[in-house]
């Protein structure tokens, strides 16, 4: 009896569904293919970086390359100054840019009168669309001379100039994502805080921002990714000397700038060393992303 | 003695006349239930009592709401008012922080930093909200890990911690199962000894069980207001009669 019913069921389903089934399978494959594009790209990038860059690691030695402080191709391939420059410029940009961005987001989401928000929000969104080479111009014309005057130094092309330009560049990402996550909070958080007699500002800092922090951290992660990967604007304002900067008022070269500036003429082991610079960059980005994801998850629970 | 007194209150949301010429007196240390069908204005009235309606940009209010003979809309300090007239919401809304921090939130917002005093008030408030025994060994864990009923009692504890005189409750049990609802109702029976309670409820049985006074609202009007027993057993108005007997609403 049971078996009979089963056969009957499958018989019916076979008679009625062959067409949708094929269509379903087809779309299933389309979805998988689309999803694979990203993964395959990442794998390809990692594969060619490693296949090209491993030669330099083998010849110069991992320690000498990563922790060496002299970049004198084709003899010495120490990229530690660039690692430092990348980390310092990104960290500096995040430390200065994120507070400004989060406060802007709070202002837009909670405090700004509608007409003002309608001016600030499109301006911020436009900022996101400006090509980085234009940020470079802006840095060259405004920030670099300003640093020369303010600190009384001969050349304003410094780490500090890079930090400021990067800080501005990450603003739109962090602002937009933070504002969205603050707006997405259920209104009961704010109402609950106000109903206890807390002021609006206190409620913002003690309830709304902490409640929205996972979204804000996502914005920060994207901002960090943009800052560490930025190349063009950095080359234009940071001076690009491949030596360890003694302070933020000295020129420096980031990992990305190193690759972009020398790739056009590098050959042999020199070219391979540039690929290994890319490997280091990739590893940093993976570490940063995992780190932020981890913090995010931990905080949420 | 009346704790709150509303006189000729009219409230508009934009063009929508949500409260029509409401006058009602809320007696001290009693439970007043506001009942009526959805959209009748009972929650709106509740939210005028601690000025939560201020958050709605298009709202216009005329008439007066007196709290201890002072018109709360006439330049009254809103934060001060909300400390004295606390509120518990329909859906439990603990903040995404620890149980302890939730209860201490309002006090800290007032600048209280004395750890010993905070500890003491947090414990007292949780005891008053009949939650202490369930959470005393995990005060540092997230409030979001509590059950719905526990969360609502936490919100009550958070409100009690401010030592308010009035507690407004906006359908506090509508999202809870019958057992959790029963616990909250038991709790309210304790709270009425110390606080004046105004509760909006959709459940007529709840109004009958817990309230001393009942006010019936219909399309923005206060139709009938009196002792709960009288409103349910000898309603004066046809509409009240229909609603409490379950004919509509």
């Amino acid at each position: 009896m049971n078996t009979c019913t089963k056969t009957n069921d499958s018989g019916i389903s076979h008679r009625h569904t062959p067409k949708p089934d094929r269509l379903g399978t087809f779309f299933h494959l389309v979805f998988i293919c689309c999803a694979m594009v990203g993964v395959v790209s990442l794998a390809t990038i990692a594969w060619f970086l490693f296949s090209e860059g491993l030669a330099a690691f083998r010849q110069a030695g991992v320690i000498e390359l990563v922790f060496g402080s002299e970049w004198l191709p084709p003899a010495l391939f120490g990229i530690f100054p660039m690692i430092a420059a990348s980390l310092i410029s990104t960290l500096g940009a995040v430390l200065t840019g994120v507070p400004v961005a989060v406060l802007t987001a709070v202002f837009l989401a909670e405090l700004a009168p509608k007409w003002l928000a309608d001016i600030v929000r499109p301006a911020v969104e436009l900022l996101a669309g400006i090509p980085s080479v234009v940020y470079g111009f802006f840095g060259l014309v405004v920030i670099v001379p300003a640093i020369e005057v303010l600190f009384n130094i001969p050349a304003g092309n410094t780490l500090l100039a890079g930090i400021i330009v990067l800080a501005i560049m990450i603003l739109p990402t962090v602002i937009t994502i933070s504002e969205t996550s603050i707006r997405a909070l259920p209104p009961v958080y704010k109402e609950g805080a106000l109903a206890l007699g807390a002021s609006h500002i206190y409620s913002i800092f003690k309830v709304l921002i902490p409640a929205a922090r996972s979204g804000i951290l996502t914005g920060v992660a994207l901002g960090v990714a943009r800052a560490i990967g930025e190349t063009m604007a950095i080359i234009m304002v940071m001076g690009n000397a491949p030596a360890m900067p003694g302070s933020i008022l000295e020129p420096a070269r980031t990992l990305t700038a190193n690759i972009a500036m020398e790739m056009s003429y590098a050959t042999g082991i020199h070219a391979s060393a540039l690929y290994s610079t890319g490997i280091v960059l990739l590893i940093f980005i993976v570490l940063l992303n995992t780190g932020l994801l981890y913090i995010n998850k931990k905080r949420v629970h | 003695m009346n704790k709150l007194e509303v006189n000729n209150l009219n409230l508009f949301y934009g063009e929508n006349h949500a409260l029509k010429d409401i006058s009602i007196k809320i007696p001290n240390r009693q439970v007043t239930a506001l009942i009526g069908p959805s959209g009748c204005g009972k929650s709106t009235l509740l939210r005028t009592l601690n000025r939560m309606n201020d958050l709605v940009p298009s709202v216009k209010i005329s008439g007066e709401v007196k709290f201890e003979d002072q018109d709360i809309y006439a330049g009254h300090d809103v934060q001060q008012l909300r400390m004295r007239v606390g509120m518990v919401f329909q859906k439990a809304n603990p903040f995404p922080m620890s149980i302890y921090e939730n209860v201490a939130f309002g006090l800290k917002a007032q600048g209280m930093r004395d750890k010993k005093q905070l500890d003491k008030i947090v414990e007292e408030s949780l005891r008053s909200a009949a939650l202490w025994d369930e959470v005393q060994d995990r005060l540092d864990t997230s409030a979001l890990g509590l059950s719905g009923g526990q969360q609502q009692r936490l919100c009550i504890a958070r409100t009690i911690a401010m030592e308010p005189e009035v507690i407004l409750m906006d359908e506090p049990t509508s999202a809870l199962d019958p057992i959790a609802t029963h616990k909250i109702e038991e709790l309210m029976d304790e709270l009425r000894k110390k606080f004046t309670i105004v509760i909006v409820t959709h459940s007529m049985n709840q109004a009958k069980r817990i309230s001393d006074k009942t006010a019936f609202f219909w399309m923005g009007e206060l139709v009938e207001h009196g002792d709960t027993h009288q409103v349910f057993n000898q309603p004066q108005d046809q509409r009240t009669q229909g609603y409490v007997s379950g004919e509509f609403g």
Side-chain angles (χ1 to χ4, degrees):
Chain A
M1 177 87 186
N2 248 340
T3 336
C4 180
T5 319
K6 265 184 190 165
T7 330
N8 199 11
D9 269 358
S10 67
I12 286 170
S13 77
H14 270 288
R15 197 146 19 95
H16 285 282
T17 52
K19 244 187 175 177
D21 249 355
R22 235 179 275 154
L23 202 65
T25 317
F26 171 73
F27 273 106
H28 201 80
L29 281 172
V30 171
F31 288 131
I32 289 181
C33 287
C34 291
M36 282 302 126
V37 171
V39 179
V40 170
S41 307
L42 182 68
T44 317
I45 288 171
W47 180 77
F48 88 78
L49 273 183
F50 276 94
S51 63
E52 298 286 335
L54 279 181
F57 276 122
R58 226 176 277 126
Q59 193 162 331
V62 176
I63 302 290
E64 286 78 1
L65 204 140
V66 175
F67 293 104
S69 57
E70 299 280 341
W71 175 262
L72 287 169
L76 293 166
F77 297 104
I79 60 166
F80 190 66
M82 292 111 173
I83 294 176
S86 278
L87 292 184
I88 293 167
S89 59
T90 300
L91 188 70
V94 167
L95 289 182
T96 47
V98 167
V100 174
V102 171
L103 294 184
T104 309
V106 167
F107 180 70
L108 288 175
E110 281 291 317
L111 301 166
K114 194 180 174 302
W115 64 270
L116 189 54
D118 285 346
I119 296 172
V120 177
R121 198 176 295 116
V124 167
E125 279 160 11
L126 201 61
L127 210 55
I130 292 175
S132 63
V133 66
V134 177
Y135 278 99
F137 271 139
F138 162 74
L140 268 186
V141 176
V142 180
I143 293 167
V144 168
I147 289 174
E148 283 165 13
V149 173
L150 273 176
F151 296 96
N152 197 20
I153 50 175
N157 304 62
T158 54
L159 246 180
L160 180 62
I163 288 173
I164 296 172
V165 170
L166 285 180
I168 299 171
M169 291 181 78
I170 65 170
L171 285 181
T173 320
V174 186
I175 291 173
T176 310
I177 294 178
S178 303
E179 191 203 343
T180 311
S181 58
I182 292 171
R183 278 187 189 281
L185 291 175
V188 292
Y189 282 148
K190 183 178 163 185
E191 289 184 347
L194 293 179
L196 287 167
S199 70
H200 193 180
I201 299 294
Y202 189 87
S203 311
I204 287 171
F205 282 105
K206 293 291 178 175
V207 177
L208 297 188
I209 293 181
R213 81 188 147 207
S214 98
I216 292 173
L217 280 174
T218 307
V220 172
L222 291 174
V224 166
R226 177 155 200 201
I228 205 164
E230 180 46 42
T231 312
M232 200 60 212
I234 286 296
I235 291 178
M236 289 168 79
V237 301
M238 245 168 68
N240 304 316
M244 185 60 104
S247 78
I248 56 169
L249 290 177
E250 285 179 25
R253 180 189 287 191
T254 62
L255 293 165
T256 51
N258 194 40
I259 300 170
M261 290 177 61
E262 301 193 357
M263 204 61 232
S264 55
Y265 61 84
T267 51
I269 189 72
H270 182 191
S272 175
L274 295 180
Y275 281 103
S276 51
T277 309
I279 295 175
V280 173
L281 193 59
L282 190 71
I283 290 172
F284 268 111
I285 288 170
V286 169
L287 287 180
L288 276 169
N289 267 334
T290 348
L292 279 162
L293 272 178
Y294 178 71
I295 294 173
N296 217 343
K297 271 199 181 145
K298 208 176 150 197
R299 287 267 179 94
V300 168
H301 287 301
Chain B
M1 190 191 127
N2 295 315
K3 199 72 183 172
L4 286 156
E5 194 175 325
V6 177
N7 291 319
N8 305 103
L9 180 77
N10 279 286
L11 184 143
F12 294 84
Y13 290 125
E15 293 300 308
N16 175 20
H17 198 172
L19 290 176
K20 297 169 186 161
D21 205 33
I22 306 287
S23 295
I24 185 173
K25 294 182 170 70
I26 311 279
N28 197 16
R29 296 200 180 176
Q30 292 197 13
V31 177
T32 302
L34 311 182
I35 61 167
S38 294
C40 68
K42 54 194 190 306
S43 283
T44 303
L45 177 65
L46 195 75
R47 285 166 165 260
T48 57
L49 302 179
N50 67 343
R51 294 189 57 173
M52 273 328 248
N53 278 329
D54 289 14
L55 298 181
V56 183
S58 65
V59 79
K60 273 180 301 196
I61 296 172
S62 68
E64 57 175 15
V65 181
K66 281 183 171 173
F67 174 54
E68 301 203 317
D69 289 330
Q70 272 196 311
D71 188 350
I72 63 169
Y73 283 90
H76 202 281
D77 180 346
V78 181
Q79 281 168 245
Q80 200 68 37
L81 170 75
R82 289 179 184 153
M83 275 187 271
R84 299 175 67 191
V85 182
M87 186 168 217
V88 175
F89 295 82
Q90 180 171 4
K91 195 170 175 299
N93 57 346
F95 305 129
M97 47 181 89
S98 73
I99 294 169
Y100 182 96
E101 290 298 327
N102 261 281
V103 183
F105 181 87
L107 299 165
K108 284 190 171 177
Q110 296 315 314
M112 188 184 284
R113 290 288 171 270
D114 183 352
K115 181 87 171 79
K116 271 191 183 155
Q117 206 182 348
L118 283 171
D119 287 352
K120 184 168 156 280
I121 299 177
V122 167
E123 178 174 343
E124 284 171 3
S125 307
L126 286 169
R127 282 189 191 281
S128 306
L131 191 59
W132 176 254
D133 293 339
E134 292 161 57
V135 301
Q136 56 170 315
D137 51 355
R138 49 169 173 155
L139 292 175
D140 290 333
T141 61
S142 169
L144 303 182
L146 296 173
S147 74
Q150 289 174 323
Q151 288 190 2
Q152 195 59 295
R153 276 180 282 148
L154 178 68
C155 292
I156 293 173
R158 186 169 81 177
T159 307
I160 296 173
M162 301 307 290
E163 298 190 330
E165 290 150 63
V166 181
I167 300 178
L168 310 174
M169 297 185 166
D170 191 357
E171 297 182 42
T173 61
S174 65
L176 302 180
D177 65 48
I179 294 167
T181 300
H182 179 67
K183 277 196 173 168
I184 302 262
E185 288 183 6
E186 272 183 345
L187 172 59
M188 287 172 65
D189 213 37
E190 279 301 307
L191 297 177
R192 75 203 306 163
K193 294 171 189 160
K194 284 174 71 183
F195 306 99
T196 302
I197 296 176
V198 186
I199 177 172
V200 164
T201 177
H202 264 293
S203 155
M204 280 179 284
N205 286 327
Q206 184 169 58
K208 262 192 262 185
R209 283 194 298 265
I210 57 170
S211 70
D212 304 292
K213 304 276 183 191
T214 295
F216 171 65
F217 290 79
W218 174 255
M219 315 248 309
E221 284 174 57
L222 173 56
V223 174
E224 192 160 346
H225 175 218
D227 289 338
T228 297
H229 180 79
Q230 193 218 312
V231 171
F232 279 98
N233 295 315
Q234 293 126 21
Q236 307 295 308
D237 192 285
Q238 201 74 45
R239 291 167 291 182
T240 317
Q241 165 80 47
Y243 187 74
V244 298
S245 64
E247 280 172 30
F248 62 87

